[in-house]
Amino acid sequence: MTEPEAEDRKPQSDEARSAFVPPAGVVAQAAPVEEESSTTSEFALPKGLDVPQVPPTDSEGSAFSTPRTYSAKHALAAFTPPAGIPRVDLTKDVPWQDRMRTMLRMPVAERPVPETVQKTEDEGPAVPRVLDLTLRIGELLLAGGEGAEDVEAAMFAVCRSYGLDRCEPGVTFTLLSISYQPSLVEDPVTASRTVRRRGTDYTRLAAVYQLVDDISDDQTEVSLEESYRRLAEIRRNRHPYSGWLLTMATGGLAGAASVLVGGDAIVFVAAAIGAMLGDRLAWLCAGRGLPEFYQFTVAAMPAAAMGAALTIAHVDVRASAVITGGLFALLPGRALVAGVQDGLTGYYITAAARLLEVMYFYVGIVIGVLVILYFGVKLGAELNPDAALQSSNRPGWQIAASMLLTLCFAVLLQQERSTVLIVTLNGGVAWSVYGAMHYVGEISPVASTAAAAGLVGLFGQLLSRYRFASALPYTTAAIGPLLPGSATYFGLLAIAQNDVDEGLVSLTKAAALAMAIAIGVNLGSEISRLFMRLPGASAGARRAAKRTRGF
């Protein structure tokens, strides 16, 4: 064995056995020395990897490139139009209700960035205080009977006027919420408020609308502190009419309603006395903390008892007119119209809650009247359901009675004195249209009621837009003469006399009349908006919510 061979057989050291040392017979290629300026980014492609380059003319796969099928001249509806999204200025060119409703119906991504109307501090608006003010304003509007869409429009107007553009208000029957997103990278700020007590005061409602109108006006400076002060004054203001005047208005409403269905002077007095007794009993129950269901039940009893007593005493009067007049003072027309309006505008949860409340009120009235009618029939009261077919046609007296009913209804709603005369005339016009269509034209009462209610809604919406106020003070009292008091009474009377089928038919007619009133008022309001100039678009391009269409 030669010396070189012996040298190869000698044991190797640990370094010689390293895993990084190439084995014998393998020629290691020297790695290229990288320069210091070479690219070391993790996004760089490894050497040796060939990626086919996309031709510059074929860029349809990019999310930021224009599709080949897109034409700027014939742009599809899914793309932003070449002229851009119409700008909506917070000016007094159109009423703020329509401006805010237009933007609420826009997709969030298409809403224009607002110009701050009210001056705020250099560091920006106080977000928690603006949201709290918005919720307090929305609470007063919702508690006063305003529709959910109008409440959201008012809340949206307050937020945008103080510079909070990315706001989303939410309104249900008892809960108000609003969420503000400062930016895409910041957490949203959300606040909510529960409406636990409701009250009818259209004077307060008009004051809140005036406050919102001033806040959304770029010519009027209203700071946050000033808004809080005015809101506190609105809450502290007393009702314009006293409790005893409201009781007298209840009696006048019932008496006028009895004249509409053929009553005379004795019937007027009897219906007024029964309604006033029921009103005072309801006040007594309210003072003891009883729910409204029992208040309606108790309030319906005196008028029914008065009619049954006159029949038992063999007084030659129309007892049905006395009871019908008492029911007119209790029918929840305001809640019914608001419930149907919320359903037609897409607020189904609020609409269902309002209509459920109306149903409870009706059930309370039914129980109160049925109890009295049952005992009246047992005691010998001769109540004739066929009297419904003997309604006399006295145009002069009926128009005067309808205007008196509307006037008393406006007082019960605590309306401003400046609006009482207008709504009284509106109620007279509504009954004139109904009488001309039903008595002269012999059109069905449901269609006549819907047409008259539509006219009420049209006039009320135009008047409210002219005064930048709520439409409720101009419409709610005017629908009073159209309420289905007689159909409700005769349905209850038939049930009390064990004629359930006839009673259900009459109650169904009452429900149809009530729905005709609510839908007519809402349709009249929508028709009035068709002829109004809206911000950023013509009347024909007005946006509305798109629902499912059978698929």
Side-chain angles (χ1 to χ4, degrees), residues 207-228:
V208 176
Y209 260 80
Q210 184 61 48
L211 174 59
V212 177
D213 183 44
D214 292 340
I215 291 176
S216 59
D217 183 13
D218 56 351
Q219 303 297 327
T220 306
E221 183 177 351
V222 183
S223 62
L224 276 174
E225 289 73 16
E226 177 68 16
S227 298
Y228 269 104

Side-chain angles (χ1 to χ4, degrees), residues 106-187:
M106 283 184 179
V108 178
E110 296 183 12
R111 291 177 185 170
V113 178
E115 298 178 358
T116 303
V117 175
Q118 301 300 330
K119 297 180 180 179
T120 56
E121 294 78 5
D122 295 336
E123 61 273 9
V127 175
R129 297 196 67 195
V130 173
L131 297 183
D132 179 70
L133 175 68
T134 302
L135 290 174
R136 291 177 183 272
I137 290 176
E139 178 189 11
L140 287 179
L141 293 177
L142 188 62
E146 193 62 84
E149 187 178 30
D150 293 325
V151 175
E152 282 195 0
M155 296 171 64
F156 200 62
V158 174
C159 286
R160 291 178 68 91
S161 298
Y162 284 109
L164 306 185
D165 57 324
R166 290 177 293 272
C167 284
E168 283 298 328
V171 176
T172 58
F173 185 57
T174 58
L175 182 65
L176 296 167
S177 63
I178 188 167
S179 178
Y180 169 62
Q181 182 76 38
S183 65
L184 296 178
V185 297
E186 296 183 71
D187 295 332

Side-chain angles (χ1 to χ4, degrees), residues 397-543:
W397 284 103
Q398 288 178 330
I399 292 176
S402 65
M403 296 180 66
L404 176 61
L405 189 152
T406 306
L407 173 65
C408 296
F409 204 173
V411 173
L412 289 175
L413 294 174
Q414 302 281 0
Q415 290 191 198
E416 291 181 301
R417 292 178 174 86
S418 60
T419 64
V420 170
L421 178 60
I422 298 176
V423 74
T424 300
L425 295 176
N426 199 8
V429 171
W431 180 261
S432 300
V433 173
Y434 171 80
M437 295 182 64
H438 179 55
Y439 295 113
V440 180
E442 297 181 353
I443 302 176
S444 67
V446 176
S448 303
T449 301
L455 195 63
V456 168
L458 176 63
F459 286 168
Q461 198 67 232
L462 293 176
L463 289 172
S464 67
R465 292 305 186 264
Y466 175 73
R467 297 196 172 192
F468 296 93
S470 172
L472 290 181
Y474 302 99
T475 58
T476 305
I479 65 173
L482 305 176
L483 292 176
S486 59
T488 303
Y489 161 68
F490 287 110
L492 300 179
L493 177 59
I495 294 175
Q497 294 180 345
N498 294 326
D499 193 353
V500 179
D501 294 338
E502 185 67 24
L504 291 179
V505 170
S506 185
L507 290 179
T508 302
K509 177 183 176 182
L513 291 173
M515 293 296 294
I517 292 173
I519 295 176
V521 170
N522 181 264
L523 183 60
S525 301
E526 294 297 328
I527 290 176
S528 68
R529 295 193 186 105
L530 292 177
F531 302 99
M532 292 181 180
R533 185 173 59 86
L534 296 180
S538 61
R542 175 173 176 263
R543 291 178 177 267

